[in-house]
Amino acid sequence: GFPLDTDSAALAAWLRAEVLPTLQPAQWPAVVAWIEQRARALEARLQRPADALQLVALLDHPAQPAPALTPQQLVDTPRSSARLSHFVPECVFLRQQLADIAHLHSAHGLVLTLDAHAQLSYSAIATALLDRVVAPELLSVAYAEHFAPYARRHALDCAELVHAYCIADMDASVGGAWEPRVLALLSCLHSDMSGAQPTAARTGHARALGAVALEAMRRSAIPWSSGVDEAAQKALEVLDRFGSDDEVAVLAREAREQLRLMRLKRMLRAHGLGDAHISDTRMAGAVLQWLARRPGADVMRDVLQLVDAYHHLSRTAAYVLRLQALCETGDTDAVAALIGFIDSEEHGVQPVARLVPLEVARRTLCWTRDLLDSMAFGADASRELFRRH
């Protein structure tokens, strides 16, 4: 036989020109078996998949001899469409494997043996093109130059693969170690959607992007990083653009709700209530009472954030509680500022919103009157003090 290090291109050319055309039908199976065995040996022992592919390509040769024919015989003689590879169907798959292995090596720098390739799906190989990148900042290059082209070569859904990869990475990570890689891949998904118009494929891409972003938000520590915040905002922009799809619309609502909860947790943490269980609605009233009496110029905004998180809390009651707290401290400037804040905050386009400041004023006046009546003044003195206030 020929040594394995024989030039495969020259050997293939000789076999194609001198040997295959002279074969008789009884010889075809043996030749096919020899080509297959040599191709496997070239790949396994010399790691030369491209050379092995050159030999396997010979199996596309017509499986018939080529006798000398007259022109009329050439017209009248039926030509068989059979190929040598038809005698060993496994060779068709072998050629596909070798072609993929050679492509992975030449185009993507990924070296796989035939045995290793046989154990992996195309999806797993595409994922390996991401997984081999250690530095998160290089993932965008790996995505654009290696992962996405290979996935498209095999008609794989890039976005769904990234979704599965990110979830697996988050599940396997300790703490927030997943964040740099997942955020880098979210950025890749978002870049793919830049300026994209709604189509079936793009809508699926939007779903995958939204699902990864939502899961990242759920798993983020409080307070979360600026990277998570940016990824959440970009995801919401895409989800809103593709919101005509029911599943995308649901993801958009869930993402907004999750962001609202994250902001609520961050606010409570800033006030020293990082351990508060926001799912326990029974604690909301007590927290409101406590928070409304906290010092600080922006406390009212935090109070409203709490109120808006629980349907059974009232903005009007929250304003009154804050006004009472400020009146008790005697900070008239803060009271005036809060009244101005209420007026600007509640004078919305809805008529019902315009009633809130009036109701706040009514309740505050009633409270002030009751407070003065409870003091140790005579009736006339109490009415005079009330008039002044």
Side-chain angles (χ1 to χ4, degrees), residues 43 93 96-133 139 142-143 145-158 161-162 164-165 181:
E43 190 283 325
F93 182 58
Q96 292 173 349
Q97 284 183 295
L98 290 171
D100 201 51
I101 290 170
H103 172 75
L104 284 167
H105 184 227
S106 62
H108 305 299
L110 181 64
V111 178
L112 286 178
T113 65
L114 194 58
D115 288 341
H117 189 278
Q119 300 298 317
L120 298 172
S121 64
Y122 291 135
S123 297
I125 294 172
T127 299
L129 294 171
L130 294 176
D131 213 32
R132 66 177 177 172
V133 179
L139 276 172
Y143 179 93
E145 297 183 3
H146 302 293
F147 168 80
Y150 184 81
R152 287 192 291 266
R153 175 184 174 91
H154 293 287
L156 302 175
D157 187 331
C158 291
L161 283 179
V162 170
Y165 178 82
R181 297 184 71 82

Side-chain angles (χ1 to χ4, degrees), residues 60-85:
D60 274 344
H61 194 280
Q64 61 179 18
L69 298 174
T70 65
Q72 186 58 44
Q73 288 174 320
L74 189 61
V75 172
D76 296 339
T77 303
R79 306 295 290 176
S80 170
S81 61
R83 304 289 174 182
L84 290 175
S85 58

Side-chain angles (χ1 to χ4, degrees), residues 16 23 41 47 49 92 105 110 142 184 188 194 202 234-235 270 314 350:
R16 182 178 291 106
L23 291 178
Q47 286 77 51
V92 176
H105 184 227
L110 181 64
C188 294
S194 179
R202 290 298 188 179
K234 287 183 175 180
S314 161
Q350 297 297 327

Side-chain angles (χ1 to χ4, degrees), residues 177-191:
W178 54 266
E179 187 174 308
R181 297 184 71 82
V182 171
L183 292 184
L185 290 171
L186 272 172
S187 179
C188 294
L189 291 179
H190 183 265
S191 296

